[in-house]
Amino acid sequence: RGYPTLKIFRNGELSSDYNGPREAAGITKYMKAQVGPASKQLKTVADAEKELNKEEVVIYYLGKDDTDVSSTFQKVATKLRETVAFAHSSEEAVAKAVGQPLGTVALVRPKHL
């Protein structure tokens, strides 16, 4: 789309081309969102409630961190972090707040959708 040409690299490999806003504030916001984990860790029920109150779709992984499902979830979150929000927790209380048992991947839509 023009200047500036920005590319996102992860672990030394091209992850994606930047296709976001072209003004400084938009680029800054986008790049800050790329830093850190693709999935937000929910440690408490309060964290879960905050995430559940978002005005966007969130995909949750609720279960142990050392499983194949968790590893796959994190890979998918990294690939799709620009299009959907991801969150995860291994806490039973957080799973109950989300309304799902541990060992679940769930897509939760806001009430207005």
Side-chain angles (χ1 to χ4, degrees):
R1 283 194 335 171
Y3 180 82
T5 300
L6 300 172
K7 297 185 180 284
I8 310 299
F9 288 83
R10 296 197 191 287
N11 300 321
E13 293 189 21
L14 178 65
S15 175
S16 65
D17 290 331
Y18 174 74
N19 293 314
R22 295 294 170 180
E23 75 282 347
I27 293 170
T28 301
K29 180 179 177 185
Y30 179 87
M31 290 301 174
K32 284 183 178 181
Q34 297 301 307
V35 176
S39 176
K40 181 176 182 177
Q41 183 177 17
L42 307 177
K43 296 179 181 178
T44 66
V45 171
D47 291 343
E49 288 171 351
K50 183 177 178 184
E51 207 66 20
L52 288 165
N53 287 325
K54 282 189 170 182
E55 294 291 319
E56 62 185 330
V57 170
V58 179
I59 300 176
Y60 296 87
Y61 167 65
L62 304 163
K64 295 181 180 180
D65 292 331
D66 59 351
T67 65
D68 289 341
V69 174
S70 176
S71 176
T72 300
F73 177 83
Q74 294 296 340
K75 287 177 186 175
V76 170
T78 298
K79 288 285 187 191
L80 299 177
R81 73 189 299 159
E82 296 170 30
T83 57
V84 68
F86 291 87
H88 65 280
S89 182
S90 59
E91 301 295 324
E92 180 77 36
V94 170
K96 285 183 181 180
V98 175
Q100 300 292 325
L102 287 177
T104 301
V105 175
L107 182 146
V108 177
R109 298 182 333 171
K111 290 178 178 73
H112 73 279
L113 291 180

